[in-house]
Amino acid sequence: GENVEQHPSTLSVQEGDSAVIKCTYSDSASNYFPWYKQELGKRPQLIIDIRSNVGEKKDQRIAVTLNKTAKHFSLHITETQPEDSAVYFCAAMETRYDKVIFGPGTSLSVIP
Amino acid sequence: KAGVTQTPRYLIKTRGQQVTLSCSPISGHRSVSWYQQTPGQGLQFLFEYFSETQRNKGNFPGRFSGRQFSNSRSEMNVSTLELGDSALYLCASSLGRGPTNEKLFFGSGTQLSVL
């Protein structure tokens, strides 16, 4: 079955700097890669996703890149703000099966 | 439109007991997934239901089971509770079946404590 690894497990950055979180997946059949953000005490929420036929996707300060050959994808957050502090989960899914497998998460702290 | 609703919000049980958690998905969503969240372990996939059928199952022992009703509401049951079952149990719903329907909407979770 699918296995998703995620690095780093914790990340601290100064406000205004960029943050990068990297994930790898094992199942080459996976074709959908969402990222979820979970603020302290709240439920996870989708922030961006990418499909296997796309190499990069941007939404304001966040972007995701995908390398299908290497089976890894990354989340990039630019101009970080304190409200970006949260746990970020990457995930992989093969869309014929509604089974989303998550990475272990990255705790991001943005220091004002 | 109401979000995903999970009940109860908190549960305290003792070892050996059993527990049932409930999840009401967003109206129109037919897929319901369950996850166990513990510190450091992230979101561990338990199982997924679509139209009352379990389509996917994670690597959890048989003590963990679930079902889905005709109105898409789902329940999860854990029998013979162990201390290690203490966790936040999250339910997520989606439209399911096919591209563009994969976005998961999570409930607030049920915090289970096993003493």
Side-chain angles (χ1 to χ4, degrees):
Chain A
E2 177 65 273
N3 182 54
V4 179
E5 296 184 353
Q6 184 172 349
H7 300 280
S9 57
T10 60
L11 180 60
S12 288
V13 299
Q14 289 291 133
E15 182 177 357
D17 287 351
S18 296
V20 180
I21 302 170
K22 298 182 178 182
C23 291
T24 60
Y25 61 99
S26 61
D27 189 350
S28 56
S30 290
N31 55 5
Y32 174 68
F33 307 92
W35 287 85
Y36 284 79
K37 174 184 180 182
Q38 186 177 30
E39 296 177 30
L40 189 62
K42 298 193 175 179
R43 65 192 77 186
Q45 291 192 308
L46 179 73
I47 55 170
I48 195 168
D49 56 15
I50 191 168
R51 300 184 188 281
S52 58
N53 58 349
V54 175
E56 183 175 1
K57 183 178 180 181
K58 287 183 180 180
D59 183 3
Q60 298 182 354
R61 296 186 297 107
I62 61 174
V64 58
T65 58
L66 171 66
N67 182 327
K68 278 198 309 181
T69 303
K71 289 193 276 189
H72 64 69
F73 56 114
S74 300
L75 178 72
H76 304 253
I77 306 174
T78 58
E79 300 172 20
T80 53
Q81 300 168 5
E83 51 264 39
D84 295 329
S85 296
V87 178
Y88 291 81
F89 294 97
C90 63
M93 175 186 179
E94 209 264 273
T95 53
R96 286 180 300 170
Y97 312 104
D98 289 306
K99 178 179 179 180
V100 180
I101 301 300
F102 286 87
T106 295
S107 178
L108 173 65
S109 298
V110 179
I111 304 163
Chain B
K1 197 183 260 191
V4 179
T5 304
Q6 289 188 247
T7 57
R9 187 69 182 89
Y10 301 95
L11 266 179
I12 300 175
K13 293 286 186 179
T14 56
R15 280 181 300 173
Q17 287 187 309
Q18 76 165 20
V19 66
T20 299
L21 314 182
S22 179
C23 173
S24 293
I26 291 172
S27 178
H29 284 194
R30 297 170 66 189
S31 174
V32 174
S33 301
W34 288 88
Y35 290 87
Q36 181 193 67
Q37 184 172 28
T38 54
Q41 294 295 314
L43 297 161
Q44 299 290 311
F45 176 79
L46 280 154
F47 25 67
E48 184 264 345
Y49 289 86
F50 184 89
S51 292
E52 303 178 67
T53 301
Q54 184 184 89
R55 297 189 300 170
N56 299 289
K57 192 175 191 305
N59 298 323
F60 278 80
R63 301 185 296 107
F64 292 80
S65 63
R67 58 179 176 169
Q68 186 181 35
F69 302 94
S70 59
N71 61 358
S72 293
R73 189 178 71 86
S74 178
E75 287 183 347
M76 191 191 97
N77 185 75
V78 188
S79 62
T80 320
L81 284 166
E82 300 178 359
L83 295 178
D85 296 334
S86 295
L88 179 67
Y89 290 88
L90 289 164
C91 151
S93 75
S94 70
L95 288 166
R97 283 285 163 89
T100 76
N101 291 345
E102 314 92 338
K103 181 178 178 181
L104 295 178
F105 294 82
F106 282 88
S108 296
T110 294
Q111 183 67 54
L112 172 65
S113 297
V114 182
L115 306 178

